Amino acid sequence: MQRSTIARPAAMFWGLAVFAPVGVNYLAAVLMFATLFIAGNLQERAARIRANPLWWPVVAYVAWTLVVLAFRPHYPQTPSNLWHGFRIAATIVMAMALTRDEALWALRGFFVIAFTSVLMVLLYRTVGFPMAELWRATLVLVGNKSINDALLFTVLGVSAVVFGLAHIHDKKGHWALPAFALTGFVAVIITLWLPSRTSLLGLLVAGVAVCVHQWRKQLRVLAVVLVIAVGAASVLVWQSPVVQRTFALGAQEIEAAQAGAVSEGSWVVRFYMYRDTARMIIDKPLAGWGIGGWTEQWHLRGPKLLADYNMPHNDFLWMGAQAGVPGLLTLLVIMLVGVWQGWRRNDITGRCGFAAMLVMLIATSVNSALRDAQIGLSLLWIAMVYLRLVQEPGQPWREMLPLRLQELMRLQPPRSASVHS
């Protein structure tokens, strides 16, 4: 293998590893980091990174973290929180450094394992599939790793919506039905088998948002599409007893927490975390309590029953508590700039980047989707690879499949026809 191409299989390996346990993802990240240097062209990569709109927000995020580290108190949790903060920045920068071809290899890996995982779930829930530790969290609910897998399924489902809508727009409706069927099956997975309100919310919001993205300049068409999309979402929410119970339970938990009840309920925990973390930020708005300071303050402020938690299930609040409002804003700007990059490009590439970043933004707002490595090593990598292609000219998503397969699927005209024309 040529030195210049060694980063391609490393990028694909990380794409393949995203459903695997966190240790495999750490291995993939280390291999990606090493091969980017071994592959060479470092000046070209550096120029690509500096030209990316995310560069200065990431620099501000890292710089402010270092300022807070230098001037604010340190805690037993400081090393781990500092590590996760730098891991977040490193993941973003590595995605920014990829060439067009390397980013495509990463997405090929993701789609191979995502479709394989869908098939495994289908087999497991019908005729049976052998259980192994490597894919246990994909088949049954197992903590935060299953939340990660549900969010990755959500990215796949929203991507299917993008391609289904594109084929309707391009009068290739024969691919729209399978695409929407895939989205429907993803909805079943994240509702029944890997139940995640975060993932379901991401699927609903991003699904409607990509409709707005596609028809934002055709308001009459958009109005009709939104009626259909909102109607379909309403059917999913209001006609599904499981979804109704899920959201009703969330509402009951919030009401109970407001009345003073303390339990391990998902939204009870969030209520106290958000309330007390907001108070932490109000008390130290400029530079926070210091890197790692959230856990220390949580032990002093939070209910004793919930003392074992080490992150507030909202990464903006996490940064705000330990690095003040400027720290919160640097992380928020990174997310919003990513969403804006996808929004301003009105094609499939922009729409996919926009959808992936919306899912990332929602997950970051109601879960520790960056701070928790079980989620942040996978979801952030895939979202940033999606976003990396937004910087590429032309139609990079068409290069995902070999040309012969594109012709077979009628995504490209046959070569003889294109030559004749």
Side-chain angles (χ1 to χ4, degrees):
M1 181 182 297
Q2 293 182 1
R3 179 170 173 244
S4 61
T5 62
I6 195 172
R8 294 178 187 175
M12 187 173 191
F13 176 63
W14 199 351
L16 286 166
V18 291
F19 284 87
V22 65
V24 181
N25 277 269
Y26 267 121
L27 173 62
V30 171
L31 289 175
M32 188 75 260
F33 185 80
T35 53
L36 285 173
F37 282 93
I38 296 171
N41 299 322
L42 295 181
Q43 290 185 340
E44 178 186 328
R45 293 187 190 279
R48 187 181 303 119
I49 292 170
R50 289 194 297 270
N52 194 297
L54 286 180
W55 168 241
W56 286 114
V58 171
V59 168
Y61 165 79
V62 172
W64 187 252
T65 298
L66 292 174
V67 168
V68 172
L69 180 68
F71 293 101
R72 297 298 295 150
H74 295 175
Y75 306 90
Q77 297 79 20
T78 296
S80 63
N81 277 260
L82 186 65
W83 162 254
H84 288 299
F86 286 156
R87 171 187 55 77
I88 293 165
T91 301
I92 297 172
V93 171
M94 281 191 283
M96 290 161 58
L98 297 177
T99 66
R100 179 190 185 110
D101 203 27
E102 290 161 357
L104 287 170
W105 276 61
L107 287 185
R108 287 172 189 141
F110 168 63
F111 280 110
V112 166
I113 196 60
F115 281 110
T116 301
S117 298
V118 167
L119 180 60
M120 286 194 300
V121 172
L122 179 61
L123 292 175
Y124 181 76
R125 297 294 173 172
T126 53
V127 299
F129 192 82
M131 178 68 72
E133 197 60 35
L134 185 62
W135 52 73
R136 179 181 297 275
T138 305
L139 300 180
V140 295
L141 188 62
V142 184
N144 283 353
K145 187 57 190 173
S146 291
I147 294 175
N148 165 77
D149 293 356
L151 286 166
L152 291 171
F153 280 132
T154 298
V155 173
L156 176 67
V158 177
S159 302
V161 172
V162 170
F163 281 91
L165 294 176
H167 284 310
I168 290 176
H169 184 69
D170 293 339
K171 300 180 181 179
K172 295 178 182 176
H174 55 285
W175 286 113
L177 185 58
F180 295 142
L182 175 60
T183 303
F185 188 62
V186 164
V188 172
I189 292 174
I190 64 177
T191 302
L192 298 181
W193 303 322
L194 298 181
S196 168
R197 280 174 287 206
T198 302
S199 300
L200 186 57
L201 180 64
L203 184 64
L204 293 172
V205 172
V208 172
V210 296
C211 296
V212 177
H213 190 285
Q214 177 156 326
W215 285 293
R216 56 187 167 178
K217 295 182 179 179
Q218 300 170 269
L219 296 183
R220 291 183 179 178
V221 176
L222 176 60
V224 174
V225 171
L226 285 180
V227 169
I228 296 173
V230 172
S234 299
V235 169
L236 173 63
V237 174
W238 298 116
Q239 299 303 316
S240 169
V242 175
V243 177
Q244 288 182 28
R245 286 197 299 270
T246 298
F247 283 98
L249 177 60
Q252 291 171 7
E253 289 175 346
I254 292 175
E255 290 177 2
Q258 288 175 329
V262 179
S263 73
E264 292 280 359
S266 175
W267 283 99
V268 173
V269 174
R270 282 175 170 81
F271 173 84
Y272 287 108
M273 283 182 170
Y274 294 177
R275 184 196 68 182
D276 292 345
T277 305
R279 290 173 178 173
M280 295 179 203
I281 297 172
I282 292 171
D283 290 344
K284 299 284 184 181
L286 181 58
W289 293 88
I291 305 303
W294 183 86
T295 306
E296 191 88 5
Q297 285 297 309
W298 175 246
H299 288 164
L300 296 174
R301 299 168 185 253
K304 300 303 180 185
L305 179 65
L306 309 177
D308 289 340
Y309 289 90
N310 62 0
M311 45 190 151
H313 286 43
N314 180 308
D315 288 320
F316 303 116
L317 293 179
W318 168 65
M319 277 299 292
Q322 68 175 4
V325 173
L328 184 157
L329 290 177
T330 58
L331 189 60
L332 179 61
V333 168
I334 289 172
M335 294 293 109
L336 293 181
V337 169
V339 171
W340 173 247
Q341 286 182 69
W343 171 261
R344 64 198 298 264
R345 177 166 175 165
N346 193 17
D347 62 1
I348 285 179
T349 303
R351 207 141 34 246
C352 283
F354 174 65
M357 287 304 301
L358 273 182
V359 173
M360 185 79 249
L361 178 62
I362 291 169
T364 304
S365 300
V366 297
N367 215 315
S368 296
L370 295 174
R371 164 64 177 81
D372 189 335
Q374 293 195 79
I375 306 174
L377 271 167
S378 300
L379 181 62
L380 180 62
W381 171 247
I382 294 304
M384 287 300 159
V385 172
Y386 269 62
L387 197 62
R388 168 68 189 88
L389 289 179
V390 173
Q391 302 301 313
E392 289 295 315
Q395 302 180 47
W397 279 86
R398 285 188 179 273
E399 301 168 26
M400 282 282 295
L401 299 175
L403 185 59
R404 289 183 180 275
L405 189 56
Q406 291 186 41
E407 293 172 357
L408 180 65
M409 296 176 66
R410 302 180 191 177
L411 299 177
Q412 292 278 23
R415 278 173 286 187
S416 58
S418 60
V419 170
H420 177 73
S421 62

